């Protein structure tokens, strides 16, 4: 299943959640894995689609589920990167430390997303593409203000310094933090369970 997430991004959150228990699984985890297989059996035709005439602008989504993991209360980060309508990179990962607020969880995720964007920008330079102010779409206004306003940093000294590099890249014009309503936050599919209608909507926007 972990190998399959390379082409089926819609199962990434569920598979990664189950993978946390693979060292000592219980019967409930086995039932969850069986449900994933049943879902795959019912949707064999789904896969990533890269249309030839898609635009080539870069944009990303960044989201976090604050303390969504009930075992140790750590938040889950989820991001996805697009070139036009083509999904080219995505991840769902439990954060290393316990976030003290939704703003902190979202800001840490945006920092991880920024690092991925900088790597992508460097790779695309080899092909003659130079992107400026790549938008990171975030649904938390406080996290956006934190990245843009130095004054807010005095209240966030407990956040690891490596996440503050996002501010430097905003000032350099490499990226920009853009607000997106929660109902349009595609990265939600990588951070939390969703109802069927919302899941289907975001799955379609991923290009599946």
């Amino acid at each position: 299943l972990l190998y399959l997430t390379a082409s089926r991004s819609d199962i990434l959150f569920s598979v990664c959640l189950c993978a946390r228990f693979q060292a000592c699984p219980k019967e409930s985890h086995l039932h969850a894995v069986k449900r994933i297989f049943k879902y795959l059996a019912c949707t064999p035709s789904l896969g990533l689609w890269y249309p030839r005439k898609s635009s080539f602008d870069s944009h990303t989504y960044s989201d976090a589920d604050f303390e969504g993991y009930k075992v140790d209360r750590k938040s889950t980060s989820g991001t996805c990167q697009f070139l036009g309508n083509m999904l080219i990179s995505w991840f769902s990962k439990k954060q290393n430390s316990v976030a003290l607020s939704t703003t902190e969880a979202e800001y840490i995720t945006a920092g991880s997303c920024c690092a991925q964007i900088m790597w992508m920008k460097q790779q695309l330079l080899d092909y003659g593409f130079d992107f400026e102010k790549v938008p990171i779409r975030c649904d938390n206004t406080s996290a956006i203000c934190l990245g843009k306003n130095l004054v807010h940093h005095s209240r966030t000294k407990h956040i690891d310094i490596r996440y503050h590099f996002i501010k430097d890249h905003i000032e350099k014009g490499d990226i920009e933090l853009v607000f997106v309503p929660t109902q349009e936050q595609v990265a939600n599919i990588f951070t939390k369970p969703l109802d069927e209608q919302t899941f289907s909507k975001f799955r379609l926007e991923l290009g599946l």
Side-chain angles (χ1 to χ4, degrees):
L1 284 174
L2 286 170
Y3 283 114
L4 190 58
T5 58
S7 60
R8 288 293 299 266
S9 54
D10 52 331
I11 64 170
L12 182 62
F13 172 72
S14 300
V15 172
C16 289
L17 188 60
C18 291
R20 298 173 189 174
F21 301 95
Q22 62 182 346
C24 187
K26 298 180 180 179
E27 187 176 353
S28 58
H29 304 132
L30 180 61
H31 288 315
V33 171
K34 285 183 177 179
R35 287 191 65 183
I36 297 174
F37 277 114
K38 288 179 181 178
Y39 168 73
L40 291 170
C42 293
T43 56
S45 60
L46 286 183
L48 289 174
W49 175 252
Y50 298 119
R52 180 185 299 177
K53 296 182 180 180
S54 174
S55 62
F56 215 68
D57 60 306
S58 180
H59 62 280
T60 69
Y61 291 88
S62 169
D63 190 44
D65 184 24
F66 178 53
E67 294 187 347
Y69 189 50
K70 304 302 181 183
V71 176
D72 56 13
R73 288 296 178 180
K74 291 182 179 179
S75 303
T76 300
S77 297
T79 72
C80 51
Q81 289 76 34
F82 290 84
L83 282 179
N85 297 324
M86 302 175 292
L87 179 66
I88 59 171
S89 178
W90 59 93
F91 77 80
S92 176
K93 182 181 179 182
K94 185 175 69 171
Q95 294 182 0
N96 295 326
S97 59
V98 178
L100 302 181
S101 65
T102 304
T103 300
E104 181 179 339
E106 295 273 4
Y107 187 59
I108 289 173
T109 303
S112 299
C113 186
C114 178
Q116 182 67 10
I117 292 171
M118 298 313 297
W119 178 83
M120 286 170 47
K121 281 168 62 74
Q122 189 62 39
Q123 298 299 312
L124 289 168
L125 276 176
D126 295 339
Y127 298 95
F129 295 98
D130 187 12
F131 296 102
E132 293 184 0
K133 289 191 175 182
V134 177
I136 298 179
R137 293 185 167 91
C138 176
D139 58 6
N140 187 283
T141 53
S142 296
I144 294 173
C145 290
L146 185 61
K148 294 180 178 180
N149 190 350
L150 182 62
V151 176
H152 288 270
H153 284 225
S154 62
R155 291 182 286 174
T156 55
K157 291 181 180 179
H158 58 282
I159 301 178
D160 195 300
I161 192 67
R162 65 194 177 98
Y163 293 113
H164 287 301
F165 83 101
I166 189 173
K167 176 183 172 295
D168 295 330
H169 288 294
I170 291 175
E171 292 177 348
K172 292 176 182 176
D174 293 325
I175 64 161
E176 62 176 338
L177 289 174
V178 179
F179 177 75
V180 62
T182 302
Q183 59 270 24
E184 297 176 16
Q185 177 54 272
V186 179
N188 265 332
I189 199 172
F190 300 126
T191 62
K192 59 181 71 70
L194 302 171
D195 61 82
E196 184 177 355
Q197 183 178 358
T198 305
F199 179 83
S200 298
K201 172 190 173 185
F202 288 152
R203 184 181 65 188
L204 183 63
E205 292 188 25
L206 287 175
L208 287 163

